[in-house]
PDB file of all heavy atoms in Angstrom:
ATOM      1  N   LEU A  38     -18.775   4.075  17.696  1.00  0.00           N
ATOM      2  CA  LEU A  38     -19.021   4.131  19.133  1.00  0.00           C
ATOM      3  C   LEU A  38     -20.505   4.195  19.456  1.00  0.00           C
ATOM      4  O   LEU A  38     -20.908   4.017  20.601  1.00  0.00           O
ATOM      5  CB  LEU A  38     -18.309   5.353  19.731  1.00  0.00           C
ATOM      6  CG  LEU A  38     -16.793   5.383  19.618  1.00  0.00           C
ATOM      7  CD1 LEU A  38     -16.239   6.640  20.287  1.00  0.00           C
ATOM      8  CD2 LEU A  38     -16.189   4.145  20.281  1.00  0.00           C
ATOM      9  N   SER A  39     -21.305   4.491  18.453  1.00  0.00           N
ATOM     10  CA  SER A  39     -22.744   4.601  18.675  1.00  0.00           C
ATOM     11  C   SER A  39     -23.404   3.217  18.578  1.00  0.00           C
ATOM     12  O   SER A  39     -23.401   2.621  17.507  1.00  0.00           O
ATOM     13  CB  SER A  39     -23.350   5.549  17.637  1.00  0.00           C
ATOM     14  OG  SER A  39     -24.736   5.406  17.640  1.00  0.00           O
ATOM     15  N   PRO A  40     -23.960   2.700  19.704  1.00  0.00           N
ATOM     16  CA  PRO A  40     -24.539   1.357  19.683  1.00  0.00           C
ATOM     17  C   PRO A  40     -25.694   1.260  18.682  1.00  0.00           C
ATOM     18  O   PRO A  40     -25.963   0.190  18.142  1.00  0.00           O
ATOM     19  CB  PRO A  40     -25.055   1.145  21.113  1.00  0.00           C
ATOM     20  CG  PRO A  40     -24.524   2.292  21.910  1.00  0.00           C
ATOM     21  CD  PRO A  40     -24.159   3.391  20.977  1.00  0.00           C
ATOM     22  N   ALA A  41     -26.373   2.373  18.456  1.00  0.00           N
ATOM     23  CA  ALA A  41     -27.538   2.345  17.576  1.00  0.00           C
ATOM     24  C   ALA A  41     -27.210   2.736  16.138  1.00  0.00           C
ATOM     25  O   ALA A  41     -28.066   3.138  15.382  1.00  0.00           O
ATOM     26  CB  ALA A  41     -28.612   3.304  18.122  1.00  0.00           C
ATOM     27  N   THR A  42     -25.936   2.634  15.783  1.00  0.00           N
ATOM     28  CA  THR A  42     -25.539   3.094  14.447  1.00  0.00           C
ATOM     29  C   THR A  42     -26.341   2.423  13.334  1.00  0.00           C
ATOM     30  O   THR A  42     -26.536   1.200  13.344  1.00  0.00           O
ATOM     31  CB  THR A  42     -24.038   2.894  14.188  1.00  0.00           C
ATOM     32  OG1 THR A  42     -23.746   3.322  12.865  1.00  0.00           O
ATOM     33  CG2 THR A  42     -23.628   1.434  14.365  1.00  0.00           C
ATOM     34  N   ARG A  43     -26.750   3.244  12.396  1.00  0.00           N
ATOM     35  CA  ARG A  43     -27.544   2.733  11.278  1.00  0.00           C
ATOM     36  C   ARG A  43     -26.688   1.974  10.277  1.00  0.00           C
ATOM     37  O   ARG A  43     -27.184   1.402   9.325  1.00  0.00           O
ATOM     38  CB  ARG A  43     -28.259   3.884  10.572  1.00  0.00           C
ATOM     39  CG  ARG A  43     -29.383   4.475  11.403  1.00  0.00           C
ATOM     40  CD  ARG A  43     -30.267   5.371  10.583  1.00  0.00           C
ATOM     41  NE  ARG A  43     -29.541   6.568  10.170  1.00  0.00           N
ATOM     42  CZ  ARG A  43     -29.922   7.330   9.130  1.00  0.00           C
ATOM     43  NH1 ARG A  43     -30.963   6.999   8.421  1.00  0.00           N
ATOM     44  NH2 ARG A  43     -29.225   8.399   8.826  1.00  0.00           N
ATOM     45  N   LEU A  44     -25.369   1.966  10.531  1.00  0.00           N
ATOM     46  CA  LEU A  44     -24.463   1.224   9.636  1.00  0.00           C
ATOM     47  C   LEU A  44     -24.743  -0.278   9.660  1.00  0.00           C
ATOM     48  O   LEU A  44     -24.331  -0.994   8.782  1.00  0.00           O
ATOM     49  CB  LEU A  44     -23.014   1.487  10.014  1.00  0.00           C
ATOM     50  CG  LEU A  44     -22.469   2.881   9.704  1.00  0.00           C
ATOM     51  CD1 LEU A  44     -21.127   3.092  10.372  1.00  0.00           C
ATOM     52  CD2 LEU A  44     -22.335   3.053   8.196  1.00  0.00           C
ATOM     53  N   LYS A  45     -25.459  -0.700  10.725  1.00  0.00           N
ATOM     54  CA  LYS A  45     -25.731  -2.146  10.824  1.00  0.00           C
ATOM     55  C   LYS A  45     -26.978  -2.556  10.059  1.00  0.00           C
ATOM     56  O   LYS A  45     -27.306  -3.713   9.962  1.00  0.00           O
ATOM     57  CB  LYS A  45     -25.885  -2.533  12.306  1.00  0.00           C
ATOM     58  CG  LYS A  45     -24.544  -2.545  13.023  1.00  0.00           C
ATOM     59  CD  LYS A  45     -24.694  -2.832  14.517  1.00  0.00           C
ATOM     60  CE  LYS A  45     -23.329  -2.863  15.172  1.00  0.00           C
ATOM     61  NZ  LYS A  45     -23.389  -2.699  16.636  1.00  0.00           N
ATOM     62  N   ALA A  46     -27.667  -1.564   9.513  1.00  0.00           N
ATOM     63  CA  ALA A  46     -28.923  -1.869   8.813  1.00  0.00           C
ATOM     64  C   ALA A  46     -28.887  -1.376   7.366  1.00  0.00           C
ATOM     65  O   ALA A  46     -29.794  -0.708   6.896  1.00  0.00           O
ATOM     66  CB  ALA A  46     -30.106  -1.223   9.542  1.00  0.00           C
ATOM     67  N   LEU A  47     -27.807  -1.704   6.675  1.00  0.00           N
ATOM     68  CA  LEU A  47     -27.670  -1.277   5.288  1.00  0.00           C
ATOM     69  C   LEU A  47     -28.368  -2.261   4.365  1.00  0.00           C
ATOM     70  O   LEU A  47     -28.658  -3.392   4.741  1.00  0.00           O
ATOM     71  CB  LEU A  47     -26.189  -1.187   4.917  1.00  0.00           C
ATOM     72  CG  LEU A  47     -25.405  -0.055   5.596  1.00  0.00           C
ATOM     73  CD1 LEU A  47     -23.955  -0.087   5.144  1.00  0.00           C
ATOM     74  CD2 LEU A  47     -26.036   1.286   5.266  1.00  0.00           C
ATOM     75  N   PRO A  48     -28.655  -1.830   3.106  1.00  0.00           N
ATOM     76  CA  PRO A  48     -29.285  -2.759   2.148  1.00  0.00           C
ATOM     77  C   PRO A  48     -28.423  -4.011   1.905  1.00  0.00           C
ATOM     78  O   PRO A  48     -27.236  -4.023   2.253  1.00  0.00           O
ATOM     79  CB  PRO A  48     -29.378  -1.911   0.869  1.00  0.00           C
ATOM     80  CG  PRO A  48     -29.290  -0.497   1.325  1.00  0.00           C
ATOM     81  CD  PRO A  48     -28.465  -0.489   2.554  1.00  0.00           C
ATOM     82  N   ASP A  49     -29.002  -5.008   1.245  1.00  0.00           N
ATOM     83  CA  ASP A  49     -28.300  -6.252   0.973  1.00  0.00           C
ATOM     84  C   ASP A  49     -27.016  -6.014   0.201  1.00  0.00           C
ATOM     85  O   ASP A  49     -26.967  -5.167  -0.700  1.00  0.00           O
ATOM     86  CB  ASP A  49     -29.202  -7.183   0.131  1.00  0.00           C
ATOM     87  CG  ASP A  49     -30.329  -7.743   0.965  1.00  0.00           C
ATOM     88  OD1 ASP A  49     -30.238  -7.603   2.209  1.00  0.00           O
ATOM     89  OD2 ASP A  49     -31.270  -8.293   0.381  1.00  0.00           O
ATOM     90  N   GLY A  50     -26.001  -6.794   0.529  1.00  0.00           N
ATOM     91  CA  GLY A  50     -24.783  -6.775  -0.260  1.00  0.00           C
ATOM     92  C   GLY A  50     -23.892  -5.573  -0.003  1.00  0.00           C
ATOM     93  O   GLY A  50     -22.931  -5.341  -0.723  1.00  0.00           O
TER      94      GLY A  50
END
Side-chain angles (χ1 to χ4, degrees):
Chain A
L38 297 181
S39 166
T42 178
R43 290 194 292 160
L44 288 169
K45 287 176 178 161
L47 291 180
D49 288 347

